[in-house]
Amino acid sequence: MSEDRPPDHKHPVSGYETTLSGWGRHPVVRSRVEPAFDRQTLKQSLQAEGQLIAFGQGRSYGDSALSDRVADMRPLDRMLSFDASDGLLVCEAGVLLADVIGTFLPRGWFLRVTPGTKYTTIGGAIAADVHGKNHHKAGCFGTWVKWIDLMLADGSVVRCSTGQETELFHATCGGMGLTGIIIQAGILLQPVPSASIRQTTVKTRDLAGTFEAFETHHDAPYSVAWIDCISGGSNLGRSLIMLGDFAGPGDAAGESGQTETRRAPSQRKRTIDYTPPGQGVRIPDAFPGSLLNRHTISLFNALYYRKAPRGQSSGNVGLDSFFYPLDRLRNWNRIYGRSGMMQYQFILPKETSFNGMEEILAEITKSRMGSFLAVLKLYGPENDHYLSFPMEGYSLALDFKIQNGLQDLFDRLDRLVIKYNGRVYLAKDARMSRRMFDRGYPRADRFRKLRKALGLDKKFQSMQSLRLGL
């Protein structure tokens, strides 16, 4: 979130200057924040001189939502309608995923696709076309967006979908806010039987075992792996793979406060007892980043790997524990210190994934810059959205504290990602070159052409878009 968090949007101010950053706390910029209380104030912001970009909860890691001027979308936070016949929720762009879950999970509904935090906005989820632990089964967030109301540079509002203003729709899902301001959208929720997840943990000894386990369990609705990126040699790529599905009516209850009492669908107005957990410990702003070093990361990796027994183990866990484990640690991004951190998330096609991951993990091990958090996921086919990140294959997300030599490591990783025909995730990026971007996103020029034709490049710009020539 911001270095100096913007004032609570429940107490309106007309606009103010502050310092902002993404979740990685790097870079930090001075920016004018203009709250979007309604369509009229948003239109006035667009009519003012200068470029801007929409800003929600600041959960993108780098500079994709940073600019000299931003439109604060958090005031547009109303849920407008819900149709229980098909699960269609209509809501404004500033609504949090956490609010959707808190309102509709007790009625037996949940998001079709969710990222690793529930503290992102609907508009942000669409703009980044976020994905979750079920991409191999359900695709991206945008797959379940029925339509989007988008405010263009001249203040006009158009509705786009797969059947209306199609090109604009495909450019907006994953378009990082560069096609206009997302005002509201219709998204599809899914019915679920409980707030508990039946989780199976598979412990693997090396990268080959990790890939074999993913392929063996590719039918699991949800899958994700924590991977040890410190250990090399015969332990390179050892992991804990978490497979999950919603627990059914006959399964044991999950965590305290999240038991389910299933009833007939017609009674779905109140079927699940769900109490969202609090955000636990708050990491102080002045947390010393020096505590996170190779030795402590190595210790954490060793202990985390040992927490699971050999082979497979199963049990029920709460929905929040499975989908949002880091949300329990408020401001967990502060553990990297005030200099911040950068996440490097890339994806490789399935045919090159194993060899690519093996070489990239070896490069990271050799650098002695361990990642505190390393997450491996399996993906299904890519969609038609111009700048969407996923492709059929595997992705690895790595968090690094900002330190000397990190840029050189990233440059080496870039060359390997290009070598294996992969790409880097825009929502996590703060330093990718235009050459790297163009190699990874073959529809980039189509995106640029649309922006230019609609005059969007004159009004909607972020630090990232300027760097990438979008």
Side-chain angles (χ1 to χ4, degrees):
M1 191 51 198
S2 59
E3 288 295 295
D4 299 325
R5 185 179 175 83
D8 188 339
H9 66 266
K10 301 298 183 185
H11 300 86
V13 292
S14 58
Y16 54 93
E17 289 198 359
T18 187
T19 52
L20 292 179
S21 71
W23 188 245
R25 309 181 81 190
H26 173 82
V28 178
V29 301
R30 194 72 183 168
S31 184
R32 177 172 176 77
V33 178
E34 299 179 4
F37 298 115
D38 50 36
R39 296 189 182 200
Q40 185 58 35
T41 55
L42 193 53
K43 189 173 182 178
Q44 290 171 355
S45 292
L46 291 174
Q47 291 172 338
E49 187 177 351
Q51 299 166 333
L52 83 168
I53 195 76
F55 189 96
Q57 282 289 95
R59 287 289 178 147
S60 56
Y61 280 58
D63 57 358
S64 60
L66 299 182
S67 176
D68 293 339
R69 203 159 61 96
V70 301
D72 181 358
M73 300 304 295
R74 295 176 300 161
L76 292 177
D77 60 355
R78 295 177 301 166
M79 287 183 265
L80 303 174
S81 67
F82 181 70
D83 186 344
S85 67
D86 60 0
L88 181 65
L89 169 66
V90 176
C91 61
E92 293 181 323
V95 169
L96 294 179
L97 302 188
D99 294 333
V100 174
I101 296 167
T103 301
F104 289 99
L105 186 56
R107 304 182 192 182
W109 296 90
F110 185 65
L111 300 160
R112 294 272 182 176
V113 170
T114 180
T117 175
K118 60 183 179 180
Y119 296 108
T120 189
T121 62
I122 292 293
I126 294 172
D129 203 12
V130 297
H131 55 272
K133 299 174 175 67
N134 60 342
H135 186 274
H136 61 296
K137 291 292 184 183
C140 291
F141 193 87
T143 304
W144 305 100
V145 174
K146 293 288 287 184
W147 52 263
I148 301 166
D149 279 351
L150 193 67
M151 183 172 284
L152 303 181
D154 62 1
S156 63
V157 176
V158 298
R159 176 162 295 189
C160 56
S161 67
T162 55
Q164 180 180 0
E165 299 289 351
T166 307
E167 196 174 10
L168 195 55
F169 180 78
H170 289 314
T172 299
C173 294
M176 307 310 294
L178 298 172
T179 60
I181 304 289
I182 298 170
I183 304 294
Q184 62 184 42
I187 64 171
L188 289 169
L189 306 182
Q190 63 170 326
V192 295
S194 75
S196 294
I197 300 296
R198 184 67 176 167
Q199 177 177 299
T200 297
T201 302
V202 182
K203 190 172 191 174
T204 67
R205 294 180 176 179
D206 54 26
L207 190 62
T210 299
F211 270 71
E212 182 181 358
F214 263 116
E215 294 301 322
T216 299
H217 299 284
H218 70 277
D219 283 334
Y222 298 94
S223 64
V224 64
W226 165 86
I227 189 167
D228 180 357
C229 66
I230 293 290
S231 299
S234 61
N235 291 325
L236 183 75
R238 67 180 185 177
S239 304
L240 301 180
I241 302 176
M242 278 69 77
L243 312 169
D245 193 6
F246 280 90
D251 292 331
E255 293 184 341
S256 176
Q258 299 194 14
T259 57
E260 60 89 17
T261 52
R262 183 155 174 85
R263 299 173 185 171
S266 60
Q267 296 176 291
R268 192 169 280 150
K269 285 189 176 180
R270 192 75 185 176
T271 59
I272 295 175
D273 183 10
Y274 171 70
T275 303
Q279 277 199 284
V281 178
R282 184 186 185 94
I283 306 297
D285 183 50
F287 189 87
S290 59
L291 294 179
L292 204 64
N293 53 54
R294 178 171 176 79
H295 302 293
T296 55
I297 293 174
S298 295
L299 179 63
F300 169 81
N301 274 255
L303 293 175
Y304 195 85
Y305 183 71
R306 290 175 187 170
K307 80 169 191 174
R310 291 182 180 177
Q312 295 188 16
S313 55
S314 298
N316 278 17
V317 299
L319 177 147
D320 284 272
S321 293
F322 185 79
F323 289 111
Y324 316 112
L326 288 175
D327 280 347
R328 288 190 168 186
L329 199 59
R330 188 179 302 185
N331 300 116
W332 65 263
N333 56 335
R334 292 177 177 175
I335 65 173
Y336 296 91
R338 285 185 168 170
S339 60
M341 60 93 166
M342 298 178 80
Q343 185 171 101
Y344 192 90
Q345 183 169 5
F346 65 93
I347 188 166
L348 303 179
K350 205 163 192 177
E351 58 271 21
T352 67
S353 283
F354 180 80
N355 290 337
M357 291 291 172
E358 187 174 46
E359 190 168 352
I360 287 171
L361 282 172
E363 184 66 40
I364 293 168
T365 302
K366 188 172 67 176
S367 76
R368 301 178 66 81
M369 291 188 196
S371 169
F372 179 66
L373 189 67
V375 176
L376 183 70
K377 281 189 284 197
L378 171 67
Y379 290 71
E382 65 182 281
N383 57 32
D384 294 328
H385 305 157
Y386 294 173
L387 300 187
S388 195
F389 168 70
M391 64 173 74
E392 188 165 11
Y394 287 85
S395 89
L396 182 62
L398 305 145
D399 287 353
F400 293 95
K401 182 174 70 173
I402 291 180
Q403 55 193 296
N404 291 334
L406 183 60
Q407 292 296 341
D408 291 339
L409 172 63
F410 281 180
D411 288 344
R412 296 197 296 276
L413 298 185
D414 281 352
R415 289 192 285 273
L416 292 173
V417 170
I418 289 176
K419 174 183 174 181
Y420 289 101
N421 301 317
R423 62 172 68 121
V424 171
Y425 194 9
L426 288 170
K428 307 294 179 66
D429 167 63
R431 38 73 60 190
M432 180 166 41
S433 68
R434 175 169 176 169
R435 175 177 174 272
M436 177 75 186
F437 170 71
D438 284 349
R439 290 287 296 267
Y441 290 84
R443 290 174 285 196
D445 281 341
R446 195 171 175 182
F447 184 82
R448 291 186 179 103
K449 184 178 179 181
L450 177 68
R451 285 206 352 118
K452 187 173 182 180
L454 297 177
L456 304 173
D457 58 333
K458 306 296 184 188
K459 181 57 64 175
F460 304 108
Q461 290 283 4
S462 64
M463 290 175 64
Q464 182 183 63
S465 69
L466 292 171
R467 174 164 43 83
L468 300 179
L470 287 170

